[in-house]
Amino acid sequence: MTLSNKKQNLAHEVVEDSNPTNNIDFQTIISRRLNRRSILKGGTGLTAAAFFGALPLVGRTEDDNGSSIVNNDSNAAIPATGELKRPESLKFTAVPHSTSDEMSVAAGYKAEMILPLGTPLISGIDEWKDNREQSAESFERRMGDNHDGMWFFGKKGRAYDAKASENGLLVMNHEYVNSAELSPFGYDVTEDKNAAPIFQNCRRASDVRREVNCHGVAVVEMKRRTDGMGYEMVRNSKYNRRITSSTTAQLTGPVAGSDLVKTKFDPTGFQTRGINNNCGAGLSPWGTYLTTEENFLGVFARGQDASQLSAAENYGRDRYGATEDHASWGYLWHTPAATDAKIADEFSRWDMTAVGATAADDYRNGFNTFGYITEIDPFDQKSMPQKRTALGRFAHENCAFAPVEQGKPVVFYMGDDSRGEYIYKFVSNAMWSNSDIGGGLKAGDKYMNKGTLYVAIFNEDGSGKWKPLIHGQNGLDASNSVLPFSGQDEVLVFARAAADVVGATKMDRPEWVSVSPLTGEVYVTLTNNKYRGVRDDQPVSAPNPRSYDADGKASGNDNGHIIRWAETDGDHAATSFEWDIYLFAAPSDLSAENLSELNDSNDLSSPDGLYFDPRGVLWIQTDDGAYTDTTNCMLLAALPGDVSDGASTVTSARQQTRVGMSASNDNIKRFFVGPEGCEVTGITMTPDFKTLFINIQHPGNTWGAVAGGSTPRSATVMITKEDGDVILAESFVPA
Ligand code: FEO
Ligand code: CA
Ligand code: CA
Ligand code: CA
């Protein structure tokens, strides 16, 4: 790996582990009993047709077993040909392991690359060139880098229509940048460029500007092709736009106006510039896009050493990974000369150093204005992104809502992707009304600005608890010796620290969350954790039971797992739940740790992206470094059961845990393998189930390059069935 590659990867792989607590220890002493039936079991049959309020409008019935199935409804806009029912088995032929430079998809399907990095969203600007000469500014009108979470919003006329498939807005995240492959100069730094502060490595102003503009979100209007197969971009659509790490965003909820977010840009603390490291994505029940801010740590510099800050200030920064050497690593966006700035404080805004008299004179608080679930209305091009601070500040992976029910709170589930971090949920104060569908950011104000943020505790016995993070309760007050909490703003800005106090369970890097439309159960990928069982503060526990043995020594959880839970009585606002581990990822030849009995057709490592389609098919994507000698990252389709469907408990690393039904070729199968070097991420389906969009991040070799070019590019992949039918249609039998 070259130095430049190292730099850029460092910036992305900010899987910091800044959780100093011993919370898991607390958990392990609670109970070692495994008494699965002692716990309340969540209800299975959802009554909520309203779940589909913002999704294809289909009816639901209960079958004889009381489990809910989706059926066709005379009102559904989707062809009533039986495709809405979840397939009973996976009939396609599994895609074999592959280390090829090319992608492969199941027989009978077609996978096409679209919308690679640099694609112009309007006419009048050049196509991407392999010499990367296009200007930094032009990326305000081009696809950005490292496509990630996305959603297809059906569109009818000028409005959102959850049932429309002919035309839609494809909205997606651009998570980070591959610096070395973006600039015509490669990753270029100069030594000791200016006077105070003297940076070891100074970035070029135009490179930083290009990188800032390659982050964020793209909104792209898509129209079905005339032959009915797949989609093409509507270039020049008035909806096409980019939101970048330079776009003004609104802070809403309890943190808006707080002293903790006052900056020179907005001394009142209601606005900030930019959204950053937008990772997973979600839909709101009312039809807006929810993007997330994950590894924003990598674009900020912590200039001051510990001696210049109070203990609480140090703790607040440390807990979010901004450690003392933090001025000299990451993207170094703060380093170009101030004289090269084209907008006010273009570079200094990424520096946390207190250089002015007060917070209103510098960017010491800039860091606190990132790390939020951010709502975007793709149908209102003039609208500003809304950072929903009530949902807490951490390394947000994605945001999944629970089935909504008229007159009940709206609930969102979220993971904090760092080693040993936590799983959260937010329960709105406002009660759901179907009349808010299509209500845009006003509906967001109603449901996302006031409510309760909870953090999850997974007990050893398979039960779990949600602990509220409310100022003044459970020790979240000014008497806290580590970080005195002066108000709810502080609890939310330092949500990790608040979660520490209430004894949250340290997890193996929570990535995507998805809620089953059939059972209402919640699934979270725990991608891996190299410190599990290795460091004393992260011992194995029932919910995170694996630490592989390498030469007789614990070496952490390399391959990850997927945990799931059922809220008590099926009520998503409940404060207790029952959990088990749905799936242990592992190479199938790793017999001792292949606890879900995977085989060649369905083995995987490091699950990350996760998506239940509205039929209840679970799609699992991987971002792995442990199995890539054997196979590139992949997409699998799965048909899960429910919590407690496993026959027995299993033991791993001397730790007992609860595992679900074993894997088989009937319930999980590899559907797609990406090109060498990539991560497979971001997933959405059109309402007619005929097109599946996924994203390919940081491919290796020359995948995505222009003809004859050598620069690989991240891009979207559009998957359709060759016969134009519904993806995973029951009728399909491979030749
Ligand atoms: Fe952006 Fe945790 O993946
Ligand atoms: Ca991820
Ligand atoms: Ca990942
Ligand atoms: Ca990624």
Side-chain angles (χ1 to χ4, degrees):
M1 184 182 283
T2 62
L3 173 69
S4 53
N5 271 331
K6 230 181 197 163
K7 272 284 171 202
Q8 86 208 12
N9 286 338
L10 185 66
H12 172 58
E13 296 295 344
V14 184
V15 184
E16 27 73 64
D17 80 90
S18 38
N19 190 339
T21 65
N22 287 320
N23 283 353
I24 211 84
D25 282 327
F26 172 70
Q27 285 315 307
T28 49
I29 56 169
I30 291 176
S31 169
R32 288 275 170 184
R33 276 180 311 115
L34 275 157
N35 183 2
R36 61 199 313 152
R37 293 295 162 200
S38 68
I39 312 150
L40 278 171
K41 190 154 174 0
T44 49
L46 284 178
T47 53
F51 174 53
F52 288 99
L55 293 169
L57 289 167
V58 295
R60 308 181 62 82
T61 59
E62 294 220 325
D63 66 19
D64 292 338
N65 304 321
S67 61
S68 180
I69 55 166
V70 181
N71 70 353
N72 292 316
D73 171 312
S74 55
N75 296 322
I78 297 153
T81 50
E83 301 92 334
L84 288 177
K85 194 167 175 295
R86 190 175 89 163
E88 276 161 23
S89 64
L90 300 168
K91 290 200 169 34
F92 63 92
T93 304
V95 176
H97 295 151
S98 165
T99 53
S100 162
D101 296 338
E102 304 299 328
M103 53 188 174
S104 40
V105 67
Y109 291 86
K110 188 164 117 182
E112 294 170 78
M113 185 198 76
I114 59 168
L115 302 172
L117 162 70
T119 303
L121 298 175
I122 58 167
S123 357
I125 56 174
D126 291 350
E127 293 292 333
W128 161 275
K129 292 200 187 72
D130 200 50
N131 66 9
R132 317 166 205 161
E133 68 181 14
Q134 46 277 315
S135 71
E137 289 80 359
S138 75
F139 281 92
E140 291 175 356
R141 298 287 180 271
R142 297 178 186 277
M143 294 301 286
D145 205 356
N146 283 293
H147 307 34
D148 207 328
M150 64 181 153
W151 201 269
F152 180 93
F153 291 83
K155 175 174 165 292
K156 201 165 191 182
R158 284 179 290 180
Y160 171 57
D161 179 347
K163 297 178 284 182
S165 291
E166 285 301 310
N167 176 216
L169 301 181
L170 186 62
V171 186
M172 76 175 76
N173 295 339
H174 293 294
E175 188 186 24
Y176 70 107
V177 297
N178 296 317
S179 300
E181 291 163 356
L182 196 57
S183 160
F185 308 103
Y187 185 82
D188 186 39
V189 290
T190 52
E191 300 286 313
D192 297 347
K193 192 171 171 187
N194 297 297
I198 294 174
F199 300 119
Q200 287 293 310
N201 296 305
C202 283
R203 302 287 315 277
R204 205 179 270 267
S206 61
D207 284 355
V208 169
R209 197 169 295 128
R210 183 181 288 101
E211 291 183 3
V212 165
N213 287 342
C214 279
H215 280 77
V217 164
V219 180
V220 189
E221 183 172 356
M222 305 292 283
K223 222 179 171 56
R224 206 198 292 274
R225 287 177 183 149
T226 45
D227 67 0
M229 294 285 290
Y231 294 80
E232 61 194 8
M233 170 176 66
V234 181
R235 194 166 281 188
N236 290 326
S237 159
K238 66 173 187 174
Y239 296 99
N240 292 358
R241 69 165 162 152
R242 286 293 319 288
I243 294 157
T244 72
S245 290
S246 199
T247 304
T248 301
Q250 194 77 34
L251 292 159
T252 68
V255 177
S258 158
D259 284 347
L260 294 166
V261 289
K262 289 178 175 164
T263 63
K264 192 173 163 195
F265 178 69
D266 181 4
T268 69
F270 284 90
Q271 291 189 345
T272 186
R273 252 182 303 180
I275 59 173
N276 186 261
N277 258 262
N278 305 100
C279 182
L283 172 76
S284 73
W286 49 96
T288 56
Y289 186 69
L290 301 177
T291 187
T292 63
E293 296 185 305
E294 188 192 22
N295 295 318
F296 58 98
L297 167 67
V299 301
F300 281 93
R302 172 173 171 169
Q304 287 162 309
D305 64 33
S307 66
Q308 294 167 287
L309 300 168
S310 71
E313 284 170 327
N314 277 313
Y315 190 79
R317 289 185 179 188
D318 290 348
R319 193 64 186 81
Y320 285 75
T323 47
E324 274 196 75
D325 63 351
H326 197 60
S328 59
W329 68 281
Y331 285 106
L332 305 175
W333 281 358
H334 62 299
T335 60
T339 48
D340 289 340
K342 289 192 175 173
I343 55 171
D345 308 320
E346 185 175 5
F347 309 116
S348 59
R349 70 192 174 104
W350 304 111
D351 190 341
M352 292 181 231
T353 311
V355 292
T358 71
D361 304 307
D362 57 38
Y363 292 89
R364 70 188 71 173
N365 287 333
F367 192 49
N368 293 344
T369 69
F370 287 79
Y372 299 103
I373 296 295
T374 301
E375 184 183 9
I376 290 168
D377 185 352
F379 292 90
D380 180 357
Q381 316 86 288
K382 299 209 166 60
S383 64
M384 208 182 272
Q386 308 286 307
K387 298 202 181 191
R388 300 296 183 189
T389 68
L391 281 73
R393 173 172 168 266
F394 42 90
H396 280 284
E397 181 75 16
N398 84 327
C399 186
F401 68 85
V404 287
E405 283 186 66
Q406 188 77 12
K408 296 264 182 72
V410 179
V411 179
F412 295 94
Y413 293 98
M414 303 167 284
D416 180 356
D417 179 12
S418 289
R419 293 185 189 102
E421 292 300 343
Y422 308 132
I423 291 170
Y424 297 81
K425 79 173 174 185
F426 175 80
V427 179
S428 71
N429 282 2
M431 300 299 161
W432 174 249
S433 165
N434 289 326
S435 64
D436 285 318
I437 294 172
L441 300 176
K442 278 211 175 73
D445 289 340
K446 176 176 171 185
Y447 296 108
M448 299 188 93
N449 288 349
K450 287 197 185 117
T452 305
L453 182 65
Y454 293 86
V455 69
I457 295 176
F458 292 81
N459 295 322
E460 294 289 300
D461 65 358
S463 66
K465 269 211 160 1
W466 291 105
K467 282 277 192 172
L469 303 179
I470 299 173
H471 183 251
Q473 294 184 17
N474 299 313
L476 298 175
D477 54 36
S479 71
N480 188 280
S481 59
V482 182
L483 202 159
F485 295 96
S486 61
Q488 187 63 15
D489 56 340
E490 201 147 13
V491 167
L492 294 167
V493 170
F494 302 111
R496 283 179 173 175
D500 296 343
V501 173
V502 303
T505 302
K506 291 181 182 181
M507 309 301 285
D508 287 347
R509 295 187 53 200
E511 299 244 33
W512 289 57
V513 185
S514 193
V515 184
S516 167
L518 301 184
T519 64
E521 294 180 356
V522 191
Y523 288 61
V524 178
T525 46
L526 299 168
T527 197
N528 55 51
N529 181 357
K530 68 178 182 186
Y531 294 139
R532 181 63 65 190
V534 174
R535 285 191 1 187
D536 289 347
D537 63 352
Q538 295 190 34
V540 290
S541 60
N544 302 277
R546 279 196 305 189
S547 184
Y548 295 94
D549 265 348
D551 303 325
K553 262 179 72 183
S555 72
N557 176 10
D558 283 345
N559 294 302
H561 53 288
I562 301 177
I563 201 164
R564 66 180 167 187
W565 64 87
E567 299 279 5
T568 299
D569 296 332
D571 174 7
H572 286 274
T575 54
S576 61
F577 57 88
E578 178 190 2
W579 65 268
D580 74 3
I581 290 170
Y582 157 61
L583 189 79
F584 285 99
S588 53
D589 59 1
L590 210 63
S591 49
E593 291 297 343
N594 185 10
L595 303 174
S596 290
E597 301 178 38
L598 297 163
N599 62 47
D600 261 12
S601 298
N602 55 23
D603 62 352
L604 70 150
S605 177
S606 297
D608 187 336
L610 195 70
Y611 166 66
F612 272 105
D613 76 31
R615 299 170 297 188
V617 175
L618 180 63
W619 299 89
I620 304 168
Q621 300 173 307
T622 67
D623 171 19
D624 114 72
Y627 200 31
T628 45
D629 285 348
T630 302
T631 185
N632 302 337
C633 289
M634 63 185 73
L635 168 70
L636 304 103
L639 304 173
D642 54 10
V643 169
S644 291
D645 64 6
S648 62
T649 61
V650 293
T651 303
S652 166
R654 295 166 292 283
Q655 171 65 54
Q656 263 207 324
T657 188
R658 303 154 46 85
V659 65
M661 190 195 304
S662 290
S664 75
N665 292 344
D666 290 331
N667 63 27
I668 176 167
K669 205 181 265 185
R670 192 178 303 109
F671 182 73
F672 170 93
V673 179
E676 179 272 324
C678 83
E679 167 185 343
V680 179
T681 184
I683 179 162
T684 186
M685 214 173 211
T686 50
D688 62 5
F689 299 99
K690 291 184 174 177
T691 305
L692 184 67
F693 295 98
I694 58 173
N695 279 325
I696 297 297
Q697 276 196 341
H698 56 82
N701 209 341
T702 58
W703 192 87
V706 292
S710 62
T711 306
R713 290 186 294 170
S714 296
T716 299
V717 169
M718 181 165 71
I719 298 175
T720 49
K721 219 165 148 208
E722 282 171 350
D723 62 6
D725 203 350
V726 164
I727 288 176
L728 301 192
E730 193 73 315
S731 58
F732 177 65
V733 179

